[in-house]
Amino acid sequence: MLLGMICALASAVCYGTASVLQAVAARAAEPGTGSGLDPALLSRALRQWRYLLGLALDGTGFLLQIVALRHLPLYAAGAALAASLAVTALASVPLLGIRLSPARWGAIAAVCAGLAMTGLASGPPGHRAPPPALGWALLVTAVVVLLTGPLLGRLPAGPRALALGLGAGLGFGAVQIAVRLIDDPALPGILTDPALYALLVGGATGFLFLTSAFQRGSVPVATAGMVLAETTGPALVGLAWLGDRSREGLHGLAIAGVAVAVAGSLTLASFGEPPVEAPGPKSPE
């Protein structure tokens, strides 16, 4: 349990820092088509060293997340990963010029308190055999979310960042669930496991949606949408079908801890951010 929580928190630090680095890189990329969802943006962002550093942190965070998901219930791992928004807020101060008010510092403290409550109440991860169709349902969900991208990209600037963040969270949530569903990662058996393809589609969807949201939207708002979706979805799946439970007599504390952590994370989405200028042609950094 302790190892899982340490890895989950370390993963949150990696993801939160990566989000800000990728936001800086996305805004420095050439505008391209100007669409709210621009697949070519990823190739342009990859010319930015900050985006590459962010990807390296994402990769490290993912490896740590795999360990966490093997030692924690999905709701506990999700609550710990919600701390990435607090990390994003802190990293945004020097990198994006954002100032945190006392209320925002209070929200960061709420995230930490919620994580402590969740950690105390968490039981071991469930080992119930999932329904045979769950892997296929997860893959279909990931594909459907990906296909909604062009529609979400046409939304007005205000709700677009939140909608793309929610879509990214659903994609990354599919990754979390897929990690729990894959029992045997050995070849050739894994090639016929739909959870593997749900992991790949969900991960690609998350990166595409989040990068597009970062280029012209609020980093905290997009990240808050991502945190909300990737926390609640896997938690419900873990409780309903994978046998995740809290420690005996601490069910209420677990629910309260997740609620406080997520509420603190969402509160951080409302802090101010300098106006985002329309990106213009820039030389690769």
Side-chain angles (χ1 to χ4, degrees):
M1 291 291 296
L2 179 60
L3 174 62
M5 187 58 72
I6 291 174
C7 288
L9 292 175
S11 178
V13 171
C14 291
Y15 285 147
T17 306
S19 292
V20 180
L21 290 171
Q22 289 164 351
V24 174
R27 292 177 181 183
E30 297 174 3
T33 65
S35 169
L37 183 69
D38 187 355
L41 173 61
L42 276 176
S43 64
R44 296 192 300 275
L46 285 170
R47 304 172 194 170
Q48 310 285 331
W49 68 266
R50 293 181 185 88
Y51 197 87
L52 294 176
L53 179 56
L55 284 181
L57 287 172
D58 279 329
T60 303
F62 180 64
L63 295 177
L64 292 165
Q65 182 183 4
I66 290 176
V67 177
L69 291 169
R70 293 295 185 180
H71 290 81
L72 292 173
L74 285 174
Y75 70 83
L81 289 173
S84 66
L85 189 53
V87 176
T88 296
L90 293 172
S92 295
V93 174
L95 294 178
L96 292 177
I98 294 173
R99 298 183 63 183
L100 297 181
S101 67
R104 294 347 178 220
W105 284 110
I108 292 174
V111 172
C112 296
L115 292 176
M117 295 162 64
T118 305
L120 289 173
S122 296
H127 296 288
R128 181 191 304 168
L134 185 57
W136 288 106
L138 187 65
L139 175 58
V140 170
T141 300
V143 171
V144 169
V145 173
L146 177 60
L147 294 178
T148 64
L151 178 62
L152 299 181
R154 297 192 192 101
L155 291 174
R160 185 170 59 210
L162 179 60
L164 288 173
L166 288 169
L170 291 174
F172 290 137
V175 172
Q176 291 186 44
I177 299 169
V179 168
R180 282 283 297 275
L181 293 181
I182 296 175
D183 288 329
D184 184 8
L187 293 172
I190 192 173
L191 297 178
T192 60
D193 190 341
L196 170 66
Y197 301 100
L199 185 153
L200 296 175
V201 174
T205 299
F207 277 116
L208 173 60
F209 279 36
L210 199 61
T211 302
S212 298
F214 282 166
Q215 187 181 43
R216 296 181 183 85
S218 165
V219 174
V221 168
T223 309
M226 178 190 69
V227 166
L228 180 62
E230 75 172 342
T231 301
T232 55
L236 292 174
V237 170
L239 292 170
W241 290 298
L242 301 180
D244 288 349
R245 293 293 181 268
S246 61
R247 292 183 182 179
E248 187 68 28
L250 296 179
H251 183 64
L253 183 63
I255 294 176
V258 173
V260 170
V262 173
S265 296
L266 296 180
T267 299
L268 288 168
S270 63
F271 69 72
E273 182 176 353
V276 179
E277 297 181 358
K282 294 188 179 183
S283 300
E285 293 185 12

